[in-house]
Amino acid sequence: MKIFNTLSRRKEEFVPLEPGKVKMYVCGPTVYNFIHIGNARPMIIFDTVRRYFEYKGYDVNYVSNFTDVDDKIIKKAIEEGVDAETISKRYIAECKKDMADMNVKPATTHPQATQEIQGMLEMIQTLIDKGHAYVAADGTVYFRTKSFPEYGKLCHQPMEELQAGARISVGEVKEDPMDFAVWKAAKPGEPAWDTPWGSKGRPGWHIECSVMSKRYLGDQIDIHAGGEDLIFPHHENEIAQSECANDKTFANYWMHNGFLNIDNVKMSKSLGNFFTVREITEKYDPQVLRFFMLSAHYRGPLNFSADLMQASKNGLDRILNGVEKLCDLEKKVEAKGMSQEEEAKVAEAKNQIQKFEAAMEDDFNTADAITAIFELVRLSNSTANEAASKEYVTYLKETIEKLCDVLGIITEKKEEVLDEEIEALIQARQQARKEKNFALADEIRGRLSDMGIILEDTREGVKWKRA
């Protein structure tokens, strides 16, 4: 299995720290509002990575945090006249709901920064004791960046270039523009904790992930992942803190997903093209959003548009309809041994399984993996019929379902409840057909089509789907 490692900028063979086990940390959201579709991409991508490791038999310890103490949370709390904990609790619950809707599995552990303060104080004290951090006059603790010669190795920028872009903001009392806060001195009205060095305050963003990763995964981990916007400074600073505190390589593989654009423009609130997952899933099934996210390679930029979402819906429907057909057939066909022709088709199916696995093992190429599933659906549509053996139909159904599950795609169609008006029209059309009033039946079919309901007359009766 090959993974593109941001640290080396090349694909590397995955070799776990412990055989058969994967320790994986993924940076989670800052919980001050509903998550947006940019947040959704790493959630879906790295959930899929986890699922593939589990499919291959690995025991995955998957940790993804919630940042629940942050300037944005404090600002939101002040606006609403509540405390920061009220805001973070509310949006952690909303985030978990969106994740469940997108079929993102709960992490092995979802740590919250505010519950890990003691570990942060201990790591910061270790950094101070080793000379890698210092307490400034105002009580803020800064990491001494130049004490770590490898600083910049993840973003591939030499220290001199990074230093050229560094500035000291008004009110900061650090030794060097490159130094960053691991602990921030308390401000009036903000959440604050006591410290061993005598000043109340709260943790810096970067130290939170270093500590939560250490507590739940150990000093060294296999994979650290997140959006490419986190490479610098967040992940770069995590490496500096963790490696200086623990005297060990922090993570062996660094994975980063590309940006999400909206109609080829970067998503931003100021441009009015900012969408939450909740807003998108009011228009589209969350499974369509997941399928869309997996339809391109995770490292490349992904463009979100109505046309591409419709294309994703159509693609997903092809798979779901194929599985539904197999489910219906399975109830009807005879239980008998596979024919030679069917056994030959099973060999074709196994070839597609190999292609699926080869795609996933080539840096998790989900787009090519989906192509293999489409080929399995095409095979089933062209060869599975009422003359087929039950063994053959079941094999195809279970194979497609298993591979879809690796991608987090739910193959069971949701049972939709029609409103009373539509239900009444369908019944009226059935009555018109029974009375051989085909003109009226066609008129009602047209009205239903205008309402987005497509009818299909089968031997089992009328079936419907949304357009």
mmCIF file of all heavy atoms in Angstrom, residues 206-247:
data_model
loop_
_atom_site.group_PDB
_atom_site.id
_atom_site.type_symbol
_atom_site.label_atom_id
_atom_site.label_comp_id
_atom_site.label_asym_id
_atom_site.label_seq_id
_atom_site.Cartn_x
_atom_site.Cartn_y
_atom_site.Cartn_z
ATOM 1 N N HIS A 206 -1.964 24.861 18.635
ATOM 2 C CA HIS A 206 -1.078 23.789 18.180
ATOM 3 C C HIS A 206 -0.783 22.770 19.278
ATOM 4 O O HIS A 206 -0.732 21.570 19.016
ATOM 5 C CB HIS A 206 0.225 24.393 17.647
ATOM 6 C CG HIS A 206 0.023 25.570 16.754
ATOM 7 N ND1 HIS A 206 -0.724 25.501 15.598
ATOM 8 C CD2 HIS A 206 0.441 26.872 16.865
ATOM 9 C CE1 HIS A 206 -0.757 26.705 15.027
ATOM 10 N NE2 HIS A 206 -0.057 27.543 15.775
ATOM 11 N N ILE A 207 -0.604 23.248 20.498
ATOM 12 C CA ILE A 207 -0.259 22.331 21.605
ATOM 13 C C ILE A 207 -1.394 21.351 21.878
ATOM 14 O O ILE A 207 -1.166 20.217 22.320
ATOM 15 C CB ILE A 207 0.115 23.131 22.880
ATOM 16 C CG1 ILE A 207 0.911 22.241 23.859
ATOM 17 C CG2 ILE A 207 -1.120 23.696 23.575
ATOM 18 C CD1 ILE A 207 2.327 21.984 23.436
ATOM 19 N N GLU A 208 -2.619 21.764 21.605
ATOM 20 C CA GLU A 208 -3.768 20.906 21.881
ATOM 21 C C GLU A 208 -3.648 19.566 21.147
ATOM 22 O O GLU A 208 -3.805 18.506 21.742
ATOM 23 C CB GLU A 208 -5.067 21.612 21.458
ATOM 24 C CG GLU A 208 -5.364 22.868 22.264
ATOM 25 C CD GLU A 208 -6.562 23.645 21.741
ATOM 26 O OE1 GLU A 208 -7.211 23.198 20.771
ATOM 27 O OE2 GLU A 208 -6.855 24.696 22.324
ATOM 28 N N CYS A 209 -3.363 19.628 19.848
ATOM 29 C CA CYS A 209 -3.301 18.394 19.056
ATOM 30 C C CYS A 209 -2.091 17.543 19.428
ATOM 31 O O CYS A 209 -2.180 16.315 19.456
ATOM 32 C CB CYS A 209 -3.301 18.724 17.562
ATOM 33 S SG CYS A 209 -4.914 19.303 16.966
ATOM 34 N N SER A 210 -0.958 18.192 19.717
ATOM 35 C CA SER A 210 0.222 17.430 20.143
ATOM 36 C C SER A 210 -0.081 16.598 21.380
ATOM 37 O O SER A 210 0.306 15.429 21.487
ATOM 38 C CB SER A 210 1.395 18.383 20.438
ATOM 39 O OG SER A 210 1.971 18.858 19.246
ATOM 40 N N VAL A 211 -0.773 17.202 22.323
ATOM 41 C CA VAL A 211 -1.064 16.530 23.594
ATOM 42 C C VAL A 211 -2.130 15.450 23.423
ATOM 43 O O VAL A 211 -2.011 14.346 23.959
ATOM 44 C CB VAL A 211 -1.484 17.567 24.660
ATOM 45 C CG1 VAL A 211 -2.074 16.891 25.892
ATOM 46 C CG2 VAL A 211 -0.278 18.424 25.036
ATOM 47 N N MET A 212 -3.187 15.744 22.671
ATOM 48 C CA MET A 212 -4.255 14.755 22.493
ATOM 49 C C MET A 212 -3.750 13.545 21.705
ATOM 50 O O MET A 212 -4.112 12.403 22.002
ATOM 51 C CB MET A 212 -5.467 15.408 21.828
ATOM 52 C CG MET A 212 -6.193 16.368 22.775
ATOM 53 S SD MET A 212 -7.722 17.076 22.123
ATOM 54 C CE MET A 212 -7.094 18.410 21.101
ATOM 55 N N SER A 213 -2.889 13.775 20.725
ATOM 56 C CA SER A 213 -2.294 12.672 19.976
ATOM 57 C C SER A 213 -1.428 11.812 20.896
ATOM 58 O O SER A 213 -1.505 10.578 20.876
ATOM 59 C CB SER A 213 -1.458 13.224 18.818
ATOM 60 O OG SER A 213 -0.840 12.173 18.119
ATOM 61 N N LYS A 214 -0.617 12.468 21.728
ATOM 62 C CA LYS A 214 0.268 11.743 22.650
ATOM 63 C C LYS A 214 -0.533 10.899 23.643
ATOM 64 O O LYS A 214 -0.211 9.741 23.889
ATOM 65 C CB LYS A 214 1.153 12.745 23.396
ATOM 66 C CG LYS A 214 2.093 12.129 24.449
ATOM 67 C CD LYS A 214 2.844 13.230 25.183
ATOM 68 C CE LYS A 214 3.679 12.678 26.343
ATOM 69 N NZ LYS A 214 4.893 12.001 25.863
ATOM 70 N N ARG A 215 -1.596 11.474 24.181
ATOM 71 C CA ARG A 215 -2.361 10.754 25.212
ATOM 72 C C ARG A 215 -3.055 9.517 24.657
ATOM 73 O O ARG A 215 -3.050 8.464 25.279
ATOM 74 C CB ARG A 215 -3.396 11.671 25.861
ATOM 75 C CG ARG A 215 -4.236 10.897 26.863
ATOM 76 C CD ARG A 215 -5.112 11.714 27.742
ATOM 77 N NE ARG A 215 -5.870 10.841 28.621
ATOM 78 C CZ ARG A 215 -6.884 11.230 29.368
ATOM 79 N NH1 ARG A 215 -7.261 12.490 29.374
ATOM 80 N NH2 ARG A 215 -7.524 10.375 30.135
ATOM 81 N N TYR A 216 -3.664 9.645 23.494
ATOM 82 C CA TYR A 216 -4.501 8.553 22.994
ATOM 83 C C TYR A 216 -3.804 7.627 22.003
ATOM 84 O O TYR A 216 -4.305 6.532 21.724
ATOM 85 C CB TYR A 216 -5.790 9.118 22.391
ATOM 86 C CG TYR A 216 -6.635 9.801 23.438
ATOM 87 C CD1 TYR A 216 -6.637 11.189 23.569
ATOM 88 C CD2 TYR A 216 -7.384 9.058 24.343
ATOM 89 C CE1 TYR A 216 -7.393 11.819 24.558
ATOM 90 C CE2 TYR A 216 -8.134 9.672 25.337
ATOM 91 C CZ TYR A 216 -8.135 11.050 25.440
ATOM 92 O OH TYR A 216 -8.865 11.667 26.438
ATOM 93 N N LEU A 217 -2.649 8.059 21.470
ATOM 94 C CA LEU A 217 -1.945 7.238 20.485
ATOM 95 C C LEU A 217 -0.490 6.955 20.856
ATOM 96 O O LEU A 217 0.123 6.061 20.281
ATOM 97 C CB LEU A 217 -1.992 7.915 19.101
ATOM 98 C CG LEU A 217 -3.382 8.080 18.486
ATOM 99 C CD1 LEU A 217 -3.315 8.972 17.253
ATOM 100 C CD2 LEU A 217 -3.983 6.726 18.121
ATOM 101 N N GLY A 218 0.076 7.743 21.776
ATOM 102 C CA GLY A 218 1.473 7.548 22.149
ATOM 103 C C GLY A 218 2.385 8.600 21.536
ATOM 104 O O GLY A 218 1.958 9.466 20.771
ATOM 105 N N ASP A 219 3.674 8.514 21.865
ATOM 106 C CA ASP A 219 4.648 9.512 21.403
ATOM 107 C C ASP A 219 4.813 9.505 19.883
ATOM 108 O O ASP A 219 5.127 10.526 19.280
ATOM 109 C CB ASP A 219 6.016 9.268 22.047
ATOM 110 C CG ASP A 219 6.025 9.580 23.543
ATOM 111 O OD1 ASP A 219 5.020 10.124 24.036
ATOM 112 O OD2 ASP A 219 7.026 9.259 24.205
ATOM 113 N N GLN A 220 4.659 8.335 19.277
ATOM 114 C CA GLN A 220 4.817 8.195 17.826
ATOM 115 C C GLN A 220 3.540 7.637 17.211
ATOM 116 O O GLN A 220 2.901 6.743 17.787
ATOM 117 C CB GLN A 220 5.966 7.237 17.504
ATOM 118 C CG GLN A 220 7.344 7.801 17.777
ATOM 119 C CD GLN A 220 8.420 6.809 17.352
ATOM 120 O OE1 GLN A 220 8.665 5.820 18.029
ATOM 121 N NE2 GLN A 220 9.057 7.072 16.238
ATOM 122 N N ILE A 221 3.173 8.153 16.052
ATOM 123 C CA ILE A 221 1.981 7.650 15.362
ATOM 124 C C ILE A 221 2.319 7.319 13.916
ATOM 125 O O ILE A 221 3.349 7.758 13.384
ATOM 126 C CB ILE A 221 0.806 8.656 15.430
ATOM 127 C CG1 ILE A 221 1.120 9.936 14.647
ATOM 128 C CG2 ILE A 221 0.465 8.982 16.874
ATOM 129 C CD1 ILE A 221 -0.066 10.898 14.564
ATOM 130 N N ASP A 222 1.432 6.543 13.305
ATOM 131 C CA ASP A 222 1.645 6.173 11.906
ATOM 132 C C ASP A 222 1.268 7.310 10.964
ATOM 133 O O ASP A 222 2.066 7.711 10.119
ATOM 134 C CB ASP A 222 0.817 4.926 11.558
ATOM 135 C CG ASP A 222 1.271 3.694 12.308
ATOM 136 O OD1 ASP A 222 2.418 3.269 12.074
ATOM 137 O OD2 ASP A 222 0.500 3.172 13.127
ATOM 138 N N ILE A 223 0.030 7.805 11.110
ATOM 139 C CA ILE A 223 -0.509 8.773 10.138
ATOM 140 C C ILE A 223 -1.100 9.970 10.866
ATOM 141 O O ILE A 223 -1.879 9.820 11.814
ATOM 142 C CB ILE A 223 -1.611 8.124 9.269
ATOM 143 C CG1 ILE A 223 -1.046 6.960 8.449
ATOM 144 C CG2 ILE A 223 -2.249 9.158 8.332
ATOM 145 C CD1 ILE A 223 -2.118 6.127 7.748
ATOM 146 N N HIS A 224 -0.728 11.150 10.414
ATOM 147 C CA HIS A 224 -1.383 12.387 10.859
ATOM 148 C C HIS A 224 -1.994 13.008 9.614
ATOM 149 O O HIS A 224 -1.338 13.101 8.573
ATOM 150 C CB HIS A 224 -0.360 13.336 11.486
ATOM 151 C CG HIS A 224 -0.981 14.412 12.332
ATOM 152 N ND1 HIS A 224 -2.031 15.187 11.895
ATOM 153 C CD2 HIS A 224 -0.701 14.845 13.582
ATOM 154 C CE1 HIS A 224 -2.365 16.056 12.841
ATOM 155 N NE2 HIS A 224 -1.575 15.873 13.883
ATOM 156 N N ALA A 225 -3.262 13.410 9.705
ATOM 157 C CA ALA A 225 -3.961 13.865 8.496
ATOM 158 C C ALA A 225 -4.793 15.106 8.765
ATOM 159 O O ALA A 225 -5.132 15.428 9.901
ATOM 160 C CB ALA A 225 -4.846 12.742 7.961
ATOM 161 N N GLY A 226 -5.132 15.794 7.670
ATOM 162 C CA GLY A 226 -5.972 16.984 7.746
ATOM 163 C C GLY A 226 -5.970 17.705 6.401
ATOM 164 O O GLY A 226 -5.380 17.235 5.427
ATOM 165 N N GLY A 227 -6.615 18.840 6.353
ATOM 166 C CA GLY A 227 -6.646 19.648 5.129
ATOM 167 C C GLY A 227 -5.290 20.278 4.859
ATOM 168 O O GLY A 227 -4.498 20.524 5.782
ATOM 169 N N GLU A 228 -5.009 20.575 3.577
ATOM 170 C CA GLU A 228 -3.688 21.120 3.233
ATOM 171 C C GLU A 228 -3.472 22.517 3.808
ATOM 172 O O GLU A 228 -2.328 22.962 3.937
ATOM 173 C CB GLU A 228 -3.478 21.113 1.719
ATOM 174 C CG GLU A 228 -4.353 22.073 0.928
ATOM 175 C CD GLU A 228 -4.045 22.019 -0.567
ATOM 176 O OE1 GLU A 228 -3.284 21.131 -1.001
ATOM 177 O OE2 GLU A 228 -4.581 22.869 -1.299
ATOM 178 N N ASP A 229 -4.550 23.202 4.209
ATOM 179 C CA ASP A 229 -4.391 24.514 4.843
ATOM 180 C C ASP A 229 -3.754 24.392 6.225
ATOM 181 O O ASP A 229 -3.319 25.403 6.802
ATOM 182 C CB ASP A 229 -5.745 25.221 4.959
ATOM 183 C CG ASP A 229 -6.786 24.378 5.685
ATOM 184 O OD1 ASP A 229 -6.846 23.158 5.424
ATOM 185 O OD2 ASP A 229 -7.537 24.926 6.508
ATOM 186 N N LEU A 230 -3.671 23.167 6.766
ATOM 187 C CA LEU A 230 -3.091 22.964 8.099
ATOM 188 C C LEU A 230 -1.592 22.666 8.064
ATOM 189 O O LEU A 230 -0.953 22.613 9.122
ATOM 190 C CB LEU A 230 -3.809 21.814 8.819
ATOM 191 C CG LEU A 230 -5.314 21.982 9.063
ATOM 192 C CD1 LEU A 230 -5.860 20.778 9.812
ATOM 193 C CD2 LEU A 230 -5.604 23.265 9.843
ATOM 194 N N ILE A 231 -1.032 22.477 6.862
ATOM 195 C CA ILE A 231 0.389 22.122 6.779
ATOM 196 C C ILE A 231 1.239 23.144 7.529
ATOM 197 O O ILE A 231 2.091 22.787 8.355
ATOM 198 C CB ILE A 231 0.843 22.000 5.309
ATOM 199 C CG1 ILE A 231 0.133 20.827 4.622
ATOM 200 C CG2 ILE A 231 2.362 21.821 5.231
ATOM 201 C CD1 ILE A 231 0.378 20.743 3.121
ATOM 202 N N PHE A 232 1.015 24.414 7.232
ATOM 203 C CA PHE A 232 1.714 25.485 7.944
ATOM 204 C C PHE A 232 0.695 26.551 8.342
ATOM 205 O O PHE A 232 -0.125 26.947 7.526
ATOM 206 C CB PHE A 232 2.808 26.114 7.061
ATOM 207 C CG PHE A 232 3.621 27.139 7.804
ATOM 208 C CD1 PHE A 232 4.709 26.753 8.567
ATOM 209 C CD2 PHE A 232 3.268 28.480 7.780
ATOM 210 C CE1 PHE A 232 5.446 27.694 9.283
ATOM 211 C CE2 PHE A 232 3.993 29.427 8.493
ATOM 212 C CZ PHE A 232 5.084 29.026 9.243
ATOM 213 N N PRO A 233 0.699 26.983 9.610
ATOM 214 C CA PRO A 233 1.690 26.623 10.636
ATOM 215 C C PRO A 233 1.281 25.459 11.538
ATOM 216 O O PRO A 233 2.115 24.962 12.296
ATOM 217 C CB PRO A 233 1.771 27.906 11.458
ATOM 218 C CG PRO A 233 0.378 28.458 11.423
ATOM 219 C CD PRO A 233 -0.155 28.129 10.039
ATOM 220 N N HIS A 234 0.015 24.993 11.464
ATOM 221 C CA HIS A 234 -0.471 24.082 12.506
ATOM 222 C C HIS A 234 0.347 22.794 12.599
ATOM 223 O O HIS A 234 0.884 22.451 13.659
ATOM 224 C CB HIS A 234 -1.944 23.775 12.276
ATOM 225 C CG HIS A 234 -2.566 22.947 13.357
ATOM 226 N ND1 HIS A 234 -2.435 23.242 14.699
ATOM 227 C CD2 HIS A 234 -3.306 21.796 13.310
ATOM 228 C CE1 HIS A 234 -3.077 22.337 15.424
ATOM 229 N NE2 HIS A 234 -3.610 21.446 14.598
ATOM 230 N N HIS A 235 0.439 22.059 11.494
ATOM 231 C CA HIS A 235 1.133 20.779 11.560
ATOM 232 C C HIS A 235 2.638 20.950 11.722
ATOM 233 O O HIS A 235 3.296 20.137 12.382
ATOM 234 C CB HIS A 235 0.794 19.935 10.330
ATOM 235 C CG HIS A 235 -0.611 19.418 10.347
ATOM 236 N ND1 HIS A 235 -1.235 18.885 9.233
ATOM 237 C CD2 HIS A 235 -1.520 19.360 11.346
ATOM 238 C CE1 HIS A 235 -2.467 18.527 9.553
ATOM 239 N NE2 HIS A 235 -2.665 18.811 10.829
ATOM 240 N N GLU A 236 3.177 22.000 11.124
ATOM 241 C CA GLU A 236 4.608 22.285 11.310
ATOM 242 C C GLU A 236 4.914 22.525 12.790
ATOM 243 O O GLU A 236 5.914 22.025 13.320
ATOM 244 C CB GLU A 236 4.987 23.523 10.488
ATOM 245 C CG GLU A 236 6.480 23.706 10.292
ATOM 246 C CD GLU A 236 7.070 22.698 9.319
ATOM 247 O OE1 GLU A 236 6.696 22.698 8.133
ATOM 248 O OE2 GLU A 236 7.938 21.907 9.771
ATOM 249 N N ASN A 237 4.037 23.258 13.449
ATOM 250 C CA ASN A 237 4.246 23.551 14.866
ATOM 251 C C ASN A 237 4.016 22.323 15.745
ATOM 252 O O ASN A 237 4.699 22.140 16.756
ATOM 253 C CB ASN A 237 3.337 24.697 15.305
ATOM 254 C CG ASN A 237 3.741 26.025 14.689
ATOM 255 O OD1 ASN A 237 4.797 26.125 14.054
ATOM 256 N ND2 ASN A 237 2.924 27.051 14.863
ATOM 257 N N GLU A 238 3.070 21.492 15.350
ATOM 258 C CA GLU A 238 2.863 20.234 16.081
ATOM 259 C C GLU A 238 4.131 19.379 16.067
ATOM 260 O O GLU A 238 4.518 18.802 17.089
ATOM 261 C CB GLU A 238 1.728 19.438 15.448
ATOM 262 C CG GLU A 238 0.333 19.803 15.908
ATOM 263 C CD GLU A 238 -0.658 18.782 15.382
ATOM 264 O OE1 GLU A 238 -0.648 17.647 15.892
ATOM 265 O OE2 GLU A 238 -1.421 19.117 14.474
ATOM 266 N N ILE A 239 4.736 19.274 14.894
ATOM 267 C CA ILE A 239 5.971 18.486 14.777
ATOM 268 C C ILE A 239 7.040 19.045 15.714
ATOM 269 O O ILE A 239 7.677 18.294 16.472
ATOM 270 C CB ILE A 239 6.495 18.501 13.316
ATOM 271 C CG1 ILE A 239 5.575 17.680 12.413
ATOM 272 C CG2 ILE A 239 7.922 17.950 13.246
ATOM 273 C CD1 ILE A 239 5.913 17.775 10.934
ATOM 274 N N ALA A 240 7.238 20.367 15.678
ATOM 275 C CA ALA A 240 8.272 20.998 16.502
ATOM 276 C C ALA A 240 8.042 20.712 17.982
ATOM 277 O O ALA A 240 8.953 20.271 18.703
ATOM 278 C CB ALA A 240 8.294 22.499 16.233
ATOM 279 N N GLN A 241 6.834 20.930 18.464
ATOM 280 C CA GLN A 241 6.518 20.711 19.878
ATOM 281 C C GLN A 241 6.690 19.245 20.275
ATOM 282 O O GLN A 241 7.337 18.921 21.275
ATOM 283 C CB GLN A 241 5.051 21.069 20.163
ATOM 284 C CG GLN A 241 4.680 22.493 19.947
ATOM 285 C CD GLN A 241 3.179 22.681 19.765
ATOM 286 O OE1 GLN A 241 2.697 23.787 19.907
ATOM 287 N NE2 GLN A 241 2.443 21.637 19.462
ATOM 288 N N SER A 242 6.072 18.361 19.489
ATOM 289 C CA SER A 242 6.051 16.940 19.846
ATOM 290 C C SER A 242 7.449 16.334 19.807
ATOM 291 O O SER A 242 7.824 15.570 20.708
ATOM 292 C CB SER A 242 5.121 16.173 18.904
ATOM 293 O OG SER A 242 3.786 16.594 19.074
ATOM 294 N N GLU A 243 8.225 16.644 18.776
ATOM 295 C CA GLU A 243 9.546 16.034 18.651
ATOM 296 C C GLU A 243 10.522 16.592 19.680
ATOM 297 O O GLU A 243 11.397 15.876 20.168
ATOM 298 C CB GLU A 243 10.048 16.163 17.211
ATOM 299 C CG GLU A 243 9.140 15.404 16.248
ATOM 300 C CD GLU A 243 9.681 15.220 14.837
ATOM 301 O OE1 GLU A 243 10.808 15.684 14.545
ATOM 302 O OE2 GLU A 243 8.960 14.589 14.029
ATOM 303 N N CYS A 244 10.355 17.866 20.043
ATOM 304 C CA CYS A 244 11.209 18.444 21.084
ATOM 305 C C CYS A 244 10.834 17.900 22.474
ATOM 306 O O CYS A 244 11.705 17.665 23.308
ATOM 307 C CB CYS A 244 11.102 19.969 21.076
ATOM 308 S SG CYS A 244 11.959 20.741 19.691
ATOM 309 N N ALA A 245 9.535 17.691 22.711
ATOM 310 C CA ALA A 245 9.093 17.198 24.014
ATOM 311 C C ALA A 245 9.373 15.706 24.188
ATOM 312 O O ALA A 245 9.781 15.267 25.267
ATOM 313 C CB ALA A 245 7.606 17.463 24.197
ATOM 314 N N ASN A 246 9.176 14.929 23.120
ATOM 315 C CA ASN A 246 9.233 13.472 23.229
ATOM 316 C C ASN A 246 10.526 12.858 22.722
ATOM 317 O O ASN A 246 10.761 11.657 22.922
ATOM 318 C CB ASN A 246 8.053 12.846 22.468
ATOM 319 C CG ASN A 246 6.710 13.353 22.945
ATOM 320 O OD1 ASN A 246 6.528 13.624 24.125
ATOM 321 N ND2 ASN A 246 5.758 13.491 22.023
ATOM 322 N N ASP A 247 11.364 13.654 22.028
ATOM 323 C CA ASP A 247 12.643 13.174 21.465
ATOM 324 C C ASP A 247 12.435 11.978 20.532
ATOM 325 O O ASP A 247 13.241 11.046 20.493
ATOM 326 C CB ASP A 247 13.633 12.808 22.582
ATOM 327 C CG ASP A 247 14.035 14.016 23.417
ATOM 328 O OD1 ASP A 247 14.308 15.075 22.817
ATOM 329 O OD2 ASP A 247 14.069 13.903 24.654
#
